[in-house]
């Protein structure tokens, strides 16, 4: 699996938790953000994870599946590489995939598979290219035929995704080609729907916000080509240096995502996913993502999850379930919730704490009334299935929040796994930290 990304911005980042306020924006009068979801969130339907099960033995990936199920989650996104499945024209290696699909059925795991990379017999790569799989196929109809064959063979797969990140050179050489991808998507969507007209088809997840090297965006180009008429699920991969954006002086993730999602909806998109997002705990040498600690990965993931839960996505997939071995790039080896031996990393534990506190389903709610809040506050209110109220909140600046309408509540820190009863005769004064806190009250 070759996954090459170019981040939109880089800056010095020291990721010790005690310095987080300094790291991600200690500007005066920082803007606060109050979000409110527009629909209920059922975690097992909303949150999935990417998984590279074919990299592991069945015994090892069964342990990974067990860890996933312990989180209360049931959706996975899996990568299939055409050149590995069809090693020569009409010569297939599918036994391990057959076993995997059977295991997913046995474990009642829902799946979206994406096929990417040209097989050697059909690649448009020039002779002796070092990256033959990173070029599109000479004939997109051959790719469409192979995806249709996979759909026929594996009817239990819940959705099929057509390619991956075609706006990056690492997946579509020599340059991003909206018309070329539009053709591939069109013929493949038609082929998949000929097999099963009701099975969801997902367009390729676009890297970042679909930017291309020429300054345009793939989404704008595909929209101009009329791709909305295909009515596929649309997806992108909003990797950023921080959960709130790339630049600590301009935390624009909410604004940028809200604008893009609204534009996509206005353009006719019915179903909108994010099929990758996350952070790696690689130790260097320095790559596009800044080097962060395992504790910072945990901090970032639950902050971003809190944000995305209240934004206009129908489903999101965290990258990724398990760390990988040396076949992956140095950075790509360390995005996992689990280490290579299936042991939970701090991010897994923080995520489990977050989901346990939230319960299986949230409905939009309001944060508690406050007469004093710190600057730079991120604030999201929810209601649990038991009727109790939840408040997700954090601020790089720290400080205190005074909540005059509450006499008692429980304060949770999913990063540290703590819960603290708080009470007061003149309302509650709650400490605000730079990492996510969750307040629960009647």
């Amino acid at each position: 699996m070759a996954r090459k990304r170019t981040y939109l911005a880089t800056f010095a980042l020291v990721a010790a938790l005690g310095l987080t306020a300094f790291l991600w924006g200690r500007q005066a009068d920082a803007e606060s953000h109050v979000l409110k979801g527009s629909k209920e969130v059922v975690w097992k339907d909303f949150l999935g994870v990417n998984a590279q099960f074919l990299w592991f033995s069945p015994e090892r990936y069964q342990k990974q599946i067990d860890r996933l199920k312990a989180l209360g989650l049931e959706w996975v996104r899996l990568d299939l590489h055409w050149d590995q499945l069809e090693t020569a024209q009409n010569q297939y290696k599918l036994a391990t995939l057959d076993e995997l699909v059977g295991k997913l059925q046995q474990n009642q795991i829902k799946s979206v598979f994406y096929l990417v990379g040209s097989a050697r017999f059909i690649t448009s790569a020039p002779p002796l290219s070092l990256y033959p799989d990173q070029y599109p196929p000479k004939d997109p109809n051959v790719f469409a035929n192979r995806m249709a064959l996979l759909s026929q063979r594996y009817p239990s797969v819940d959705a099929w995704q057509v390619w991956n990140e075609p706006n990056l050179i690492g997946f579509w050489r020599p340059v991003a080609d909206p018309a070329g991808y539009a053709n591939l998507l069109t013929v493949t969507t038609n082929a998949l729907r000929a097999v099963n007209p009701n099975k969801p088809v997902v367009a390729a997840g676009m890297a970042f916000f679909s930017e291309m090297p020429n300054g345009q965006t793939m989404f704008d180009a595909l929209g101009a080509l009329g791709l909305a008429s295909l009515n596929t699920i649309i997806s992108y991969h909003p990797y950023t240096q921080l959960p709130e954006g790339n630049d600590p002086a301009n935390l624009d993730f909410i604004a940028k995502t809200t604008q893009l999602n609204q534009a996509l909806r206005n353009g006719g998109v019915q179903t909108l996913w994010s099929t990758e997002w996350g952070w790696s705990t690689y130790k260097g040498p320095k790559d596009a993502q800044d080097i962060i600690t395992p504790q910072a990965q945990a901090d970032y993931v639950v902050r971003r999850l809190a944000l995305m839960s209240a934004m206009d996505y129908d489903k999101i997939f965290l990258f990724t379930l398990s760390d990988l071995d040396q076949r992956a790039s140095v950075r790509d080896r360390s995005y996992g919730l689990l280490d290579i031996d299936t042991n939970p990393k701090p991010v897994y534990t923080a995520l489990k704490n977050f989901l346990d506190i939230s319960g299986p389903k949230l409905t939009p709610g309001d944060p508690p009334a406050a007469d004093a809040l710190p600057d730079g506050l991120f604030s999201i209110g929810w209601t649990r299935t038991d009727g109790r109220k939840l408040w997700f909140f954090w601020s790089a600046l720290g400080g205190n929040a005074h909540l005059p309408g509450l006499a008692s509540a429980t304060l949770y820190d999913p990063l540290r796994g703590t819960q603290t009863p708080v009470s007061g005769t003149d309302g509650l004064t709650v400490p605000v930290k730079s990492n996510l806190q969750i307040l629960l009250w009647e």
Side-chain angles (χ1 to χ4, degrees):
M1 179 177 65
R3 308 183 65 257
K4 301 181 184 294
R5 304 192 187 100
T6 303
Y7 275 83
L8 308 179
T10 56
F11 49 85
L13 180 63
V14 182
L17 287 174
L19 297 179
T20 304
F22 170 77
L23 298 173
W24 61 274
R26 198 169 179 78
Q27 63 269 38
D29 301 320
E31 181 183 1
S32 293
H33 300 269
V34 179
L35 300 181
K36 185 171 182 177
S38 61
K39 54 197 171 190
E40 71 177 24
V41 170
V42 178
W43 291 117
K44 68 181 180 63
D45 297 326
F46 180 75
L47 177 62
V49 299
N50 285 264
Q52 289 72 39
F53 292 143
L54 291 173
W55 289 53
F56 300 93
S57 69
E59 294 74 22
R60 178 63 59 88
Y61 69 66
Q62 180 62 60
K63 293 180 181 178
Q64 296 173 8
I65 290 172
D66 292 341
R67 295 287 194 190
L68 177 70
K69 292 167 71 173
L71 293 172
L73 303 178
E74 61 184 29
W75 271 93
V76 293
R77 175 179 180 254
L78 300 112
D79 57 309
L80 300 178
H81 295 264
W82 185 10
D83 61 335
Q84 296 174 16
L85 297 180
E86 189 174 4
T87 53
Q89 188 169 6
N90 296 320
Q91 295 182 18
Y92 299 101
K93 291 187 174 180
L94 298 174
T96 55
L97 182 55
D98 290 345
E99 184 174 8
L100 170 59
V101 172
K103 285 275 191 182
L104 297 177
Q105 286 183 276
Q106 293 168 20
N107 285 274
Q108 297 182 304
I109 297 295
K110 297 178 180 179
S111 61
V112 51
F113 279 85
Y114 69 91
L115 185 66
V116 68
S118 290
R120 286 185 175 271
F121 74 90
I122 195 68
T123 180
S124 60
L128 305 179
S129 169
L130 297 176
Y131 311 103
D133 64 315
Q134 294 177 12
Y135 287 77
K138 293 176 184 176
D139 183 355
N141 290 288
V142 178
F143 178 87
N145 170 265
R146 296 322 192 255
M147 283 210 77
L149 291 175
L150 289 170
S151 181
Q152 286 178 317
R153 188 178 183 93
Y154 306 117
S156 63
V157 172
D158 295 276
W160 293 94
Q161 187 170 26
V162 182
W163 212 263
N164 186 60
E165 298 185 340
N167 59 319
L168 290 190
I169 192 173
F171 290 101
W172 195 287
R173 292 177 182 266
V175 294
D177 178 10
Y181 179 69
N183 189 21
L184 184 78
L185 179 61
T186 299
V187 298
T188 305
T189 298
N190 291 337
L192 287 167
R193 287 177 176 162
V195 174
N196 186 336
N198 299 315
K199 181 81 49 123
V201 178
V202 189
M206 299 296 165
F208 310 110
F209 299 90
S210 87
E211 299 92 341
M212 295 187 291
N214 62 8
Q216 299 176 328
T217 71
M218 183 71 89
F219 283 144
D220 283 345
L222 294 177
L225 292 169
L227 263 291
S229 62
L230 280 179
N231 195 29
T232 63
I233 295 170
I234 297 300
S235 173
Y236 62 96
H237 300 163
Y239 288 99
T240 56
Q241 295 285 6
L242 298 164
E244 302 81 10
N246 276 308
D247 184 348
N250 180 25
L251 300 173
D252 62 351
F253 173 78
I254 294 173
K256 194 166 188 176
T257 300
T258 300
Q259 181 181 21
L260 176 57
N261 289 2
Q262 189 60 58
L264 291 170
R265 297 294 192 185
N266 291 344
V269 173
Q270 299 296 310
T271 306
L272 180 58
W273 291 1
S274 173
T275 44
E276 286 184 30
W277 59 278
W279 287 267
S280 172
T281 56
Y282 79 111
K283 296 180 180 179
K286 170 72 172 62
D287 198 346
Q289 181 205 290
D290 291 324
I291 296 171
I292 63 173
T293 65
Q295 291 72 27
Q297 181 196 32
D299 177 23
Y300 287 12
V301 163
V302 293
R303 273 163 42 196
R304 171 61 69 81
L305 180 57
L307 293 176
M308 295 179 83
S309 69
M311 304 181 79
D312 187 15
Y313 294 103
D314 297 298
K315 198 182 299 293
I316 63 175
F317 290 83
L318 178 62
F319 192 88
T320 188
L321 182 55
S322 173
D323 284 350
L324 303 173
D325 60 27
Q326 67 278 2
R327 290 173 289 177
S329 72
V330 170
R331 189 178 78 247
D332 285 347
R333 294 172 199 171
S334 302
Y335 279 88
L337 298 175
L338 308 170
D339 68 19
I340 195 72
D341 296 315
T342 327
N343 299 307
K345 293 166 63 177
V347 63
Y348 179 95
T349 304
L351 178 59
K352 189 171 192 318
N353 292 339
F354 176 98
L355 295 172
D356 287 347
I357 299 162
S358 298
K361 182 174 75 173
L362 296 176
T363 55
D366 295 310
D371 58 16
L373 293 170
D375 289 336
L377 185 74
F378 289 84
S379 171
I380 309 160
W382 290 103
T383 301
R384 293 200 320 187
T385 52
D386 61 5
R388 303 179 78 185
K389 305 293 185 180
L390 276 177
W391 182 34
F392 298 151
F393 63 99
W394 67 96
S395 170
L397 302 178
N400 291 294
H402 185 249
L403 315 174
L406 296 183
S408 64
T410 304
L411 182 64
Y412 294 87
D413 185 328
L415 204 60
R416 296 170 176 85
T418 60
Q419 63 180 79
T420 306
V422 288
S423 60
T425 56
D426 183 27
L428 298 183
T429 298
V430 177
V432 178
K433 300 179 182 178
S434 57
N435 66 285
L436 171 72
Q437 305 288 289
I438 304 176
L439 193 72
L440 177 67
W441 73 101
E442 298 291 345

